[in-house]
Amino acid sequence: MTMIEAIRDAMTVAMTRDANVVVFGEDVGYFGGVFRCTQGLQQKFGAARCFDTPINESGIVGTAIGMAAYGLRPCVEIQFADYVYPAYDQIVSEAARLRYRSNGDFTAPLTIRMPTGGGIFGGQTHSQSPEALFTHVAGLKTVVPSNPHDAKGLLIAAIEDDDPVIFLEPKRLYNGPFDGHHDRPVTPWSKHALGEVPEGHFTVPLGRAVVRRPGAAVTVLAYGTMVHVAIAAAEATGVDAEVIDLRTLLPLDLETIQASVARTGRCIVVHEATLTSGFGAELVALVQEACFYSLEAPIGRVAGWDTPYPHAQEWDYFPGPKRVGEALLEAMAG
Amino acid sequence: MTMIEAIRDAMTVAMTRDANVVVFGEDVGYFGGVFRCTQGLQQKFGAARCFDTPINESGIVGTAIGMAAYGLRPCVEIQFADYVYPAYDQIVSEAARLRYRSNGDFTAPLTIRMPTGGGIFGGQTHSQSPEALFTHVAGLKTVVPSNPHDAKGLLIAAIEDDDPVIFLEPKRLYNGPFDGHHDRPVTPWSKHALGEVPEGHFTVPLGRAVVRRPGAAVTVLAYGTMVHVAIAAAEATGVDAEVIDLRTLLPLDLETIQASVARTGRCIVVHEATLTSGFGAELVALVQEACFYSLEAPIGRVAGWDTPYPHAQEWDYFPGPKRVGEALLEAMAG
Amino acid sequence: MSEPKPLSLHVPQPAVRPGDKPDFSGVHIPRAGTVPRPPVDVAPEEIRDLAYTIIRVLNRDGEAVGPWAGTLSDADALQGLRDMMKVRVFDARMLMAQRQGKTSFYMQCLGEEAIACAFQKALSPGDMNFPTYRQQGLLVAGGYPLVEMMNQIFSNDADPLHGRQLPVMYSARSHGFFSISGNLGTQYVQAVGWAMASAIKGDTKIAAGWIGDGSTAESDFHAALVFASTYKAPVVLNIVNNQWAISTFQGIARGGAGTFAARGHGFGIPALRVDGNDYLAVHAVARWAAERARRNLGPTLVEYVTYRVAAHSTSDDPSAYRPKAESDAWPLGDPVERLKNYLIGRGVWSEDRHAQYNAEVEAEVLAAQREAERHGTLHSGGKPSVRDMFEGVYREMPPHLVRQRRQAGV
Amino acid sequence: MSEPKPLSLHVPQPAVRPGDKPDFSGVHIPRAGTVPRPPVDVAPEEIRDLAYTIIRVLNRDGEAVGPWAGTLSDADALQGLRDMMKVRVFDARMLMAQRQGKTSFYMQCLGEEAIACAFQKALSPGDMNFPTYRQQGLLVAGGYPLVEMMNQIFSNDADPLHGRQLPVMYSARSHGFFSISGNLGTQYVQAVGWAMASAIKGDTKIAAGWIGDGSTAESDFHAALVFASTYKAPVVLNIVNNQWAISTFQGIARGGAGTFAARGHGFGIPALRVDGNDYLAVHAVARWAAERARRNLGPTLVEYVTYRVAAHSTSDDPSAYRPKAESDAWPLGDPVERLKNYLIGRGVWSEDRHAQYNAEVEAEVLAAQREAERHGTLHSGGKPSVRDMFEGVYREMPPHLVRQRRQAGV
Ligand SMILES: Cc1ncc(C[n+]2csc(CCOP(=O)(O)OP(=O)(O)O)c2C)c(N)n1
Ligand SMILES: Cc1ncc(C[n+]2csc(CCOP(=O)(O)OP(=O)(O)O)c2C)c(N)n1
Ligand SMILES: [Mg+2]
Ligand SMILES: [Mg+2]
């Protein structure tokens, strides 16, 4: 199953099990979304449960909050993560704080899906990775799957979660795993173990990381596309890296991270978002605090440069296996 | 001079020297702003250069961008930093990237002032410190003054800067230095050395930190209100802390920081914003990278808890001298 | 074209400023009873005029006249008067409590009591208001306990919101009152979403959104109208035009538009303008709009014309930006006085009973305050726990918050 | 009231879907020449009707008729035809270039050429457009070099934007063309700000904002109207209603409103609706609106009724959501054909000259493409430097970016 199919499957399962699950967003209804993640849902569940919206992201999230307060479980799509900013106030000031400020009188169990990340020559407004803008906000959960299996299990968990969840879908992974070697042909998910997705209902619980590649020399913390890049970098450099796929950024599975770094004594953090104040900074801060006395080298960060995401220079911008490999070697040398 | 007077003075100087400087925002014109920072400017410069706006933060920043592209230098006020989110798209997608995406064909030299921080029993929507949401965005500069002298010099520098500047004014400092001892009477700025503000034009250049309290045992990185809290904590604990007032978060004066930590071998970072993904995380990441081999203890963070800013529990939330003092002692013990 | 002349910026200014004589000659007020009452399924384009006039029921002689009259029995109108009086007494006491340092902040609705009090009576159980901070009348008229409101205002140990919220930012699902946000306008589109949910589920509940004149400028006002218009959401969209947004007169938000109600026209949403100081008119229009929503006819936009008599909040001093006596000159009078005169005219009320009820309500409010104060006020007595500060951020506390709570020693 | 019936959600649907017969019977089209032309200083409330009709000049016989006719000489109209033809040929070639992998992305304006081309002619040097991605006609009609546009599209080493921007996201201050943003709607309120700046400075320049039918739903549309209305900004606010927003028909954004132009009424902004496929009508209305702005009479809202003939972009396939032949059935015809017939009728043009000019313009575009390709295309030949990726984030590169650039080895 591709990641698109897995995401669609997750919504189908959730909508079938719970009549309160509704899906909407720009081009999401009749057409089924510009990435086709919602294809067929309107036909299956009717236009009152899956529909097209006006182009107003604040309206999409704002109405979703009202619906969630009513008792529904909206799962809405923002067409690209780059377009979430008009909805930022509703997310930060409203969804995130509704339970707290009303002491549970009202809650906002909603899921906000959005394609994230670059690698499709989308330029600065179809490539962004804004996860750190959500992890800073108390009351939100933030999830980034790296494969179809997790995408389905995490999305069902997100929809069933009683708190608002930001669900970032690395669009470069939609059709196949991507390890940053953009000049090589894409392997489809059907040839990847994690493209095998159980039928029906299952969840991958929020807040649990997983070791994707065991190793003893250095811990790599990654999520989304960068999980594959990190594995490729480990293979290419021969560094015995342990690659952890965080899956959920908040709540974070610090235990798994800590256990690994305590063993390896070295750590690097990779993400596609711009470096400064990225989620990597938080990871570094946590790891140096939790593992200070086991660390043998500074924790390295590999991330997008602190510039807008450029169009032509996409592959100079993207933190690919070469840069991650260098950071691995540096961590080993440090 | 109070910090309010210093800020007003900065705008008066800038508007007098440059007819392209315009000031606007909610309640900013006739009334002079809810904190009175723009009082008298409309009378002095006319309603075309200082005016009230409709309550639409996106409109305030969006029109300011258009004006800046025209050739003006707007200095706009967002009534509270908590209300900047509706303008977030215009700031992040537009102001921050205009120069880059147009290759300098258009630029956005504008300053966005906003009162920040808690300590006035303002509850969750009059207390926030959203600086990390700006430091993550390439193309923005972010400034937080800690006293009237700097507020004036930095604000003039911000208005004269050719890039968009986020100017966060710790509202708890408006009328006097505040060291977190909320139960003690407020000392007015007139009794503080940094309340002495030069007349006329001068600037405090963006991107330069300053050591506010020299010390040899541990470096404290702080900005805004927390500078005063950190000094109080050092005095109270007797720890020989060096307190650095960052003044500008981005661009950051890493040199000054690095020089200090290299000497002290210990570091703590303090801010009022929520901990997770706060700007403190970036500071920790940078310091551990730059000073790994001189660090004798983990870098501690003292910050707002990861909850919305509560009303009644304000002083349990605020990272006051007690918590900072504990972190100092812990850093010394580490 | 000849050589163009230099352009200049138009910055709207109010008619008067402090020191000037109040002047409401610009406010056109039609005679009570003169505006027609269309059927609720009227086509929006047929009633565009209703956005440019003012629907009024109570005339100068205290009589209820015209096609919008007659929606309330004497008993209901009497209840309305009592509700408004209670709100007014409550406000006065809480203002005093704030001055005494018992809370940090308070917001009155002086002069605007009729709007929320009368509107609430047009709703049914299960309907939901998405209010601003100036609709305490919804709670009072809806029978929410005064002492609970006070507990919230005092942030004491019985505060239903556990001290987390700024005073007056109530939440009361049981009474059809959505949690108030400090961020202007956000609730308006949430109201539309709530109403859409009711329609999606095939339920019969409707929603009401509330917004101030100044806040109509916020972008979520637009989002609300767009979504309400597209999905014909069963929602009443209320605009309380009390002439001021803190220090900013309504002309800054209204711009070149004749009225705020007219904003509905671009969306095909029927828009009505009503005398906000006329309890009977407010009720009649609210009922009309609620019936439209209930009958799946879609949204209605209602502008209530009123005047903010008091300061914006306890942090504000209006004498800096408007004439002190302006509220006395407000041509729509006082809502309590007007309904009182009507009821006296009907022979069911008197000055004496009015004075007597006022004393009763003062006592009731005072008793409630005493009870609330037993649970503490902001700076003394009982307090919500520090532990409460960490609870409720999520349904289950995640590990990082557990760590932080421990660090805080609670 | 009786027991209420269950509510239900209204979700607007287009008249037809793939497989259905195209149906534009719902689009009411008045005869050309029948809509009056008011003076530019007319009071907005006197011309509300103009938001519910369609101003048209070219009739079926290719004649220019009515009060809006006569703003262009034959020479100007001929130039207009040439501009539109050039845009069309340019689009076709760039579409092909994208299919050949010379760039990543392209967006045509097929069928909408008249709007931007004619509007541009109503502006003066120094005025500024704040366009969307579908106003390439502004550049072409304004004489911006085709080769520069192509350099941008190819992200080659002569790209004026140094490869940083998605193809078609041009910026050309010299030609009154503001840097295009990928984020819908943001430019609309910036246009208002730019116009306010001109007024603040006492200059004579005006601005034009551009937005699509779908994007009027964005909140910045509201912000723009609020600010434009309040400060009477010298701006023309254009809405290009091409019936579709990617896969979403205009009914989703329009909701219960009769037209998009009607959105202006709630703001007291004069609103006109015009045949977007009629070059002469577009020009006449643009000139009217520009004159209003120039004379400090404030903003005008103009809705251009047209049809997006091509796919949304090269990433889109419209056959999945609308009938393939729908564009042929579009009742306002093709702008190029209509202006051509008019000019032939005037005796200043012929089928032969048309074919000949088409060949010329094909050659011109091809020559430009050859020149551009000498500087490279996205995946071959010259490229903007990696160093360029780090430049221009700030006026001066701050230390952290210098470090990163060094790390990147450039
Ligand atoms: C997003 C946002 N911007 C600004 C404010 C600050 N603010 C609080 S109330 C207010 C005025 C609102 O006026 P209006 O909508 O007319 O309501 P009224 O107070 O008159 O009832 C302002 C500007 C805010 N709370 N939220
Ligand atoms: C803020 C934002 N939301 C969503 C998008 C994705 N998007 C790009 S174009 C488009 C449709 C716009 O339709 P319309 O305004 O009618 O313009 P048209 O393409 O028809 O010219 C959408 C939804 C975007 N670019 N920006
Ligand atoms: Mg008001
Ligand atoms: Mg369109």
Side-chain angles (χ1 to χ4, degrees):
Chain A
M1 204 180 259
T2 68
M3 195 143 143
I4 291 171
E5 289 160 346
I7 287 162
R8 191 188 301 146
D9 195 24
M11 287 186 273
T12 308
V13 167
M15 292 176 87
T16 304
R17 283 167 62 103
D18 183 353
N20 288 322
V21 177
V22 292
V23 167
F24 54 98
E26 296 158 18
D27 300 298
V28 153
Y30 183 86
F31 182 55
V34 294
F35 288 103
R36 322 315 306 276
C37 290
T38 58
Q39 202 183 358
L41 298 182
Q42 181 171 84
Q43 285 86 326
K44 194 162 181 141
F45 299 100
R49 289 189 60 202
C50 176
F51 51 87
D52 291 316
T53 63
I55 306 174
N56 184 310
E57 289 76 12
S58 184
I60 292 170
V61 175
T63 53
I65 292 169
M67 290 180 201
Y70 188 93
L72 303 189
R73 290 191 175 269
C75 174
V76 301
E77 176 177 304
I78 300 293
Q79 201 161 80
F80 284 85
D82 317 58
Y83 305 141
V84 74
Y85 307 120
Y88 198 61
D89 188 39
Q90 284 285 351
I91 296 173
V92 170
S93 306
E94 302 296 320
R97 290 201 228 115
L98 184 56
R99 175 190 296 280
Y100 190 80
R101 77 171 195 232
S102 74
N103 193 27
D105 198 24
F106 296 92
T107 61
L110 67 123
T111 303
I112 307 177
R113 293 177 43 241
M114 48 191 129
T116 184
I120 61 157
F121 276 103
Q124 56 187 264
T125 56
H126 302 88
S127 306
Q128 295 167 40
S129 299
E131 62 273 12
L133 304 175
F134 300 109
T135 54
H136 189 39
V137 178
L140 300 179
K141 297 183 176 176
T142 301
V143 174
V144 192
S146 71
N147 60 75
H149 173 277
D150 285 4
K152 179 173 173 184
L154 288 165
L155 183 52
I156 294 177
I159 293 172
E160 292 176 357
D161 197 275
D162 287 329
D163 290 305
V165 180
I166 306 295
F167 196 86
L168 295 155
E169 303 169 359
K171 65 177 87 69
R172 184 61 214 233
L173 299 181
Y174 272 154
N175 291 307
F178 177 68
D179 65 5
H181 288 291
H182 55 93
D183 36 7
R184 299 185 192 161
V186 180
T187 332
W189 279 115
S190 57
K191 301 218 171 114
H192 194 285
L194 291 166
E196 261 174 55
V197 179
E199 268 182 47
H201 182 270
F202 77 96
T203 62
V204 172
L206 306 190
R208 299 260 186 81
V210 66
V211 174
R212 284 285 170 223
R213 181 191 194 275
V218 49
T219 304
V220 185
L221 305 180
Y223 47 93
T225 311
M226 298 307 289
V227 171
H228 306 276
V229 175
I231 293 170
E235 308 292 330
T237 53
V239 172
D240 185 19
E242 174 145 303
V243 177
I244 298 183
D245 180 351
L246 299 178
R247 301 201 289 201
T248 305
L249 309 193
L250 201 135
L252 183 71
D253 183 354
L254 189 55
E255 252 175 69
T256 300
I257 296 171
Q258 208 169 331
S260 175
V261 179
R263 251 190 307 108
T264 61
R266 294 167 201 274
C267 179
I268 73 166
V269 175
V270 298
H271 57 63
E272 198 179 335
T274 48
L275 179 80
T276 297
S277 280
F279 187 66
E282 179 62 30
L283 291 171
V284 171
L286 290 171
V287 169
Q288 72 84 34
E289 191 189 13
C291 310
F292 185 80
Y293 299 100
S294 11
L295 278 174
E296 286 163 42
I299 307 163
R301 283 188 289 171
V302 187
W305 308 116
D306 282 329
T307 75
Y309 213 112
H311 176 251
Q313 300 92 337
E314 169 143 84
W315 298 117
D316 304 298
Y317 184 90
F318 186 88
K322 190 166 156 285
R323 278 176 63 204
V324 177
E326 283 162 14
L328 282 176
L329 295 172
E330 202 175 314
M332 293 315 299
Chain B
M1 204 180 262
T2 69
M3 196 142 142
I4 290 170
E5 288 161 346
I7 287 163
R8 192 188 299 146
D9 195 25
M11 286 186 274
T12 308
V13 168
M15 291 176 89
T16 305
R17 282 167 62 102
D18 183 352
N20 288 321
V21 177
V22 292
V23 168
F24 54 96
E26 295 157 17
D27 300 297
V28 153
Y30 183 87
F31 182 55
V34 294
F35 288 103
R36 322 313 308 274
C37 289
T38 58
Q39 201 184 359
L41 297 182
Q42 181 171 86
Q43 285 85 324
K44 193 161 181 144
F45 298 101
R49 288 188 62 202
C50 176
F51 51 88
D52 291 316
T53 63
I55 305 174
N56 183 309
E57 290 75 13
S58 184
I60 292 170
V61 175
T63 53
I65 292 169
M67 291 180 201
Y70 188 94
L72 303 188
R73 290 189 174 270
C75 175
V76 301
E77 176 176 305
I78 300 292
Q79 201 161 81
F80 284 85
D82 316 58
Y83 305 142
V84 74
Y85 308 119
Y88 198 62
D89 188 39
Q90 284 285 352
I91 295 172
V92 170
S93 306
E94 302 296 319
R97 290 201 227 115
L98 185 56
R99 175 191 296 279
Y100 190 79
R101 76 172 196 234
S102 73
N103 193 28
D105 199 24
F106 296 92
T107 61
L110 66 122
T111 302
I112 306 177
R113 293 177 42 241
M114 46 191 131
T116 185
I120 61 158
F121 276 103
Q124 56 187 264
T125 57
H126 302 88
S127 306
Q128 295 167 41
S129 299
E131 62 272 10
L133 304 175
F134 300 109
T135 55
H136 189 40
V137 179
L140 300 178
K141 297 183 175 174
T142 300
V143 174
V144 192
S146 71
N147 59 76
H149 174 275
D150 286 5
K152 179 172 174 186
L154 288 166
L155 183 52
I156 294 177
I159 294 172
E160 292 176 358
D161 197 276
D162 287 330
D163 290 305
V165 180
I166 306 296
F167 196 87
L168 295 155
E169 303 168 0
K171 65 178 86 71
R172 184 61 216 233
L173 298 181
Y174 272 154
N175 290 309
F178 177 68
D179 64 7
H181 288 290
H182 54 92
D183 36 7
R184 301 188 190 158
V186 180
T187 332
W189 278 115
S190 57
K191 301 220 170 114
H192 194 285
L194 290 165
E196 261 174 55
V197 180
E199 269 182 46
H201 182 269
F202 77 97
T203 62
V204 172
L206 307 188
R208 299 259 186 82
V210 66
V211 174
R212 283 285 170 225
R213 180 189 196 277
V218 50
T219 303
V220 184
L221 304 181
Y223 47 94
T225 311
M226 297 307 289
V227 171
H228 305 277
V229 175
I231 293 171
E235 308 293 330
T237 53
V239 173
D240 185 19
E242 174 144 306
V243 177
I244 298 183
D245 179 352
L246 298 177
R247 301 201 286 203
T248 306
L249 309 192
L250 201 134
L252 182 72
D253 184 354
L254 189 55
E255 252 175 69
T256 299
I257 296 171
Q258 207 170 332
S260 175
V261 179
R263 249 188 310 108
T264 60
R266 294 167 201 273
C267 179
I268 72 166
V269 174
V270 298
H271 57 64
E272 197 178 337
T274 49
L275 178 81
T276 296
S277 280
F279 188 66
E282 179 62 30
L283 291 171
V284 172
L286 290 171
V287 169
Q288 73 84 33
E289 192 190 14
C291 310
F292 185 80
Y293 299 100
S294 12
L295 278 175
E296 286 164 42
I299 307 163
R301 284 188 288 172
V302 186
W305 308 115
D306 282 329
T307 76
Y309 214 113
H311 176 252
Q313 301 91 338
E314 171 144 84
W315 298 118
D316 303 297
Y317 184 89
F318 185 87
K322 186 163 159 290
R323 279 177 62 204
V324 177
E326 282 162 14
L328 282 176
L329 295 172
E330 200 175 316
M332 294 314 300
Chain C
M1 248 191 289
S2 55
E3 194 62 11
K5 295 206 198 73
L7 296 162
S8 64
L9 191 74
H10 170 77
V11 180
Q13 301 290 346
V16 294
R17 284 296 192 186
D20 299 339
K21 203 166 142 335
D23 176 11
F24 286 112
S25 57
V27 184
H28 174 70
I29 297 171
R31 282 221 328 280
T34 56
V35 178
R37 183 182 189 285
V40 293
D41 57 357
V42 65
E45 55 273 19
E46 281 173 33
I47 56 163
R48 292 215 183 104
D49 286 355
L50 295 193
Y52 297 102
T53 182
I54 302 182
I55 296 167
R56 307 179 65 225
V57 168
L58 283 170
N59 70 12
R60 286 178 187 205
D61 301 325
E63 296 154 348
V65 294
W68 292 90
T71 60
L72 285 172
S73 67
D74 284 343
D76 290 340
L78 270 176
Q79 184 57 44
L81 180 67
R82 289 198 194 96
D83 290 339
M84 291 198 285
M85 289 169 75
K86 197 182 281 186
V87 169
R88 191 166 285 188
V89 170
F90 183 89
D91 271 3
R93 279 224 72 86
M94 290 300 99
L95 183 72
M96 201 189 299
Q98 192 275 342
R99 296 223 171 105
Q100 293 166 338
K102 292 176 178 169
T103 183
S104 58
F105 181 77
Y106 191 69
M107 300 183 93
Q108 302 169 265
C109 66
L110 191 63
E112 304 174 35
E113 295 89 347
I115 300 165
C117 287
F119 188 88
Q120 180 63 28
K121 300 297 188 184
L123 295 183
S124 301
D127 295 343
M128 187 63 67
N129 285 290
F130 287 74
T132 81
Y133 43 73
R134 227 181 281 286
Q135 274 85 55
Q136 48 265 62
L138 295 172
L139 287 173
V140 172
Y144 187 75
L146 300 186
V147 63
E148 291 290 296
M149 295 171 74
M150 290 173 177
N151 288 335
Q152 198 282 325
I153 292 166
F154 293 152
S155 283
N156 63 22
D157 68 20
D159 172 6
L161 308 185
H162 291 193
R164 293 179 192 146
Q165 265 283 39
L166 199 66
V168 316
M169 302 286 173
Y170 317 104
S171 176
R173 180 186 270 271
S174 58
H175 287 67
F177 192 96
F178 188 72
S179 157
I180 297 178
S181 172
N183 297 64
L184 297 173
T186 48
Q187 74 285 354
Y188 222 52
V189 62
Q190 292 163 3
V192 174
W194 199 95
M196 286 172 69
S198 177
I200 288 169
K201 297 298 286 180
D203 292 343
T204 61
K205 299 170 194 166
I206 66 169
W210 294 86
I211 206 164
D213 49 304
S215 306
T216 60
E218 283 290 8
S219 290
D220 279 347
F221 177 80
H222 180 68
L225 267 64
V226 169
F227 278 69
S229 171
T230 294
Y231 303 109
K232 295 200 177 136
V235 63
V236 183
L237 294 167
N238 296 311
I239 303 172
V240 181
N241 176 3
N242 64 5
Q243 313 299 319
W244 290 93
I246 309 185
S247 77
T248 305
F249 88 117
Q250 45 94 19
I252 291 285
R254 187 174 41 77
T259 68
F260 289 97
R263 295 270 151 101
H265 289 168
F267 299 86
I269 298 179
L272 294 80
R273 214 154 163 261
V274 55
D275 179 344
N277 290 14
D278 178 342
Y279 187 94
L280 301 184
V282 170
H283 181 266
V285 169
R287 199 152 99 167
W288 191 89
E291 194 187 332
R292 269 182 54 79
R294 192 95 55 199
R295 285 180 46 189
N296 219 19
L297 295 165
T300 309
L301 192 66
V302 183
E303 174 183 348
Y304 303 90
V305 183
T306 185
Y307 186 87
R308 195 197 79 209
V309 175
H312 171 73
S313 73
T314 47
S315 312
D316 178 46
D317 172 13
S319 70
Y321 52 78
R322 66 183 193 187
K324 277 214 175 83
E326 199 178 69
S327 71
D328 301 331
W330 175 243
L332 293 175
D334 177 80
V336 173
E337 282 301 304
R338 285 174 69 193
L339 191 61
K340 181 184 88 176
N341 291 341
Y342 164 73
L343 289 164
I344 292 176
R346 298 279 300 168
V348 297
W349 196 244
S350 68
E351 291 288 356
D352 280 356
R353 283 166 74 179
H354 193 81
Q356 188 194 328
Y357 181 70
N358 209 55
E360 275 169 46
V361 93
E362 298 248 18
E364 180 188 346
V365 170
L366 191 63
Q369 186 175 353
R370 289 224 177 89
E371 188 182 336
E373 289 191 10
R374 268 204 297 280
H375 292 283
T377 61
L378 182 58
H379 298 295
S380 74
K383 286 194 181 340
S385 78
V386 179
R387 219 183 151 88
D388 265 331
M389 175 173 72
F390 291 100
E391 303 278 353
V393 184
Y394 300 89
R395 197 171 88 99
E396 280 173 52
M397 197 178 292
H400 69 284
L401 268 177
V402 174
R403 275 198 306 277
Q404 292 181 25
R405 195 190 61 194
R406 280 204 203 110
Q407 216 181 314
V410 291
Chain D
M1 251 191 288
S2 54
E3 193 63 10
K5 295 205 198 73
L7 296 162
S8 64
L9 191 73
H10 170 77
V11 180
Q13 301 292 344
V16 294
R17 283 297 192 185
D20 298 340
K21 204 164 138 336
D23 175 10
F24 286 112
S25 57
V27 184
H28 174 70
I29 297 170
R31 282 218 332 279
T34 54
V35 178
R37 182 183 190 284
V40 294
D41 57 356
V42 65
E45 54 274 19
E46 282 173 31
I47 56 163
R48 290 211 185 106
D49 287 354
L50 295 193
Y52 296 102
T53 182
I54 302 182
I55 295 168
R56 306 178 67 224
V57 168
L58 284 169
N59 70 13
R60 286 179 189 204
D61 302 324
E63 296 155 349
V65 295
W68 293 89
T71 61
L72 285 172
S73 68
D74 285 344
D76 289 341
L78 270 175
Q79 185 56 46
L81 180 67
R82 289 198 195 97
D83 291 340
M84 290 198 287
M85 290 169 74
K86 197 181 282 187
V87 169
R88 191 165 286 189
V89 169
F90 183 89
D91 270 3
R93 277 224 74 86
M94 291 300 98
L95 184 71
M96 200 189 300
Q98 193 274 345
R99 296 221 170 106
Q100 294 165 339
K102 290 175 178 170
T103 183
S104 58
F105 181 78
Y106 191 70
M107 299 184 94
Q108 302 169 264
C109 66
L110 191 62
E112 304 174 34
E113 295 89 345
I115 299 163
C117 287
F119 188 89
Q120 180 62 28
K121 300 296 188 183
L123 295 184
S124 301
D127 295 342
M128 187 62 69
N129 285 289
F130 287 74
T132 81
Y133 43 73
R134 228 182 279 288
Q135 275 85 53
Q136 48 266 63
L138 295 171
L139 286 173
V140 172
Y144 187 75
L146 301 185
V147 63
E148 291 290 296
M149 294 170 74
M150 290 173 177
N151 288 335
Q152 198 280 327
I153 291 165
F154 293 151
S155 284
N156 64 22
D157 69 20
D159 171 6
L161 307 185
H162 291 190
R164 292 179 194 147
Q165 264 284 40
L166 199 66
V168 318
M169 302 285 173
Y170 317 104
S171 176
R173 180 186 269 269
S174 58
H175 288 67
F177 192 97
F178 188 74
S179 159
I180 297 178
S181 171
N183 298 64
L184 296 173
T186 48
Q187 75 285 354
Y188 222 52
V189 62
Q190 293 163 2
V192 174
W194 199 96
M196 287 172 69
S198 178
I200 289 169
K201 296 297 287 180
D203 292 343
T204 61
K205 298 171 197 167
I206 66 169
W210 293 86
I211 206 163
D213 50 303
S215 305
T216 60
E218 283 289 10
S219 291
D220 278 348
F221 177 80
H222 180 67
L225 266 63
V226 169
F227 278 70
S229 172
T230 294
Y231 303 109
K232 295 200 178 138
V235 64
V236 183
L237 294 168
N238 295 309
I239 301 172
V240 180
N241 176 3
N242 63 5
Q243 313 299 318
W244 289 93
I246 310 184
S247 77
T248 305
F249 89 117
Q250 45 92 21
I252 292 285
R254 186 173 42 76
T259 69
F260 290 98
R263 296 269 151 102
H265 289 169
F267 299 86
I269 298 179
L272 294 80
R273 215 155 162 260
V274 54
D275 179 345
N277 291 14
D278 178 341
Y279 187 95
L280 302 183
V282 170
H283 181 266
V285 169
R287 202 154 97 166
W288 191 89
E291 195 187 331
R292 269 183 53 80
R294 192 92 59 198
R295 284 177 51 187
N296 220 20
L297 295 165
T300 309
L301 192 66
V302 183
E303 175 183 350
Y304 303 91
V305 183
T306 185
Y307 186 87
R308 194 197 79 208
V309 175
H312 171 73
S313 73
T314 48
S315 312
D316 177 47
D317 173 12
S319 70
Y321 51 79
R322 65 184 192 187
K324 276 214 175 81
E326 198 178 70
S327 71
D328 301 333
W330 174 244
L332 292 174
D334 178 79
V336 173
E337 283 302 304
R338 284 174 70 192
L339 192 60
K340 182 185 89 175
N341 291 341
Y342 164 73
L343 288 164
I344 292 175
R346 297 281 299 170
V348 297
W349 196 243
S350 69
E351 291 288 355
D352 280 357
R353 282 166 75 179
H354 194 79
Q356 190 195 327
Y357 182 70
N358 209 54
E360 274 169 45
V361 92
E362 299 249 18
E364 181 188 343
V365 171
L366 191 63
Q369 187 176 353
R370 290 225 176 88
E371 190 183 331
E373 290 193 9
R374 268 205 299 279
H375 291 284
T377 60
L378 181 57
H379 298 295
S380 73
K383 284 192 183 341
S385 76
V386 179
R387 222 185 147 87
D388 266 331
M389 176 172 71
F390 291 101
E391 303 278 352
V393 184
Y394 300 89
R395 199 172 88 101
E396 280 173 52
M397 196 178 290
H400 69 286
L401 267 178
V402 174
R403 275 199 306 277
Q404 293 181 24
R405 195 190 61 195
R406 281 204 202 109
Q407 214 181 316
V410 292

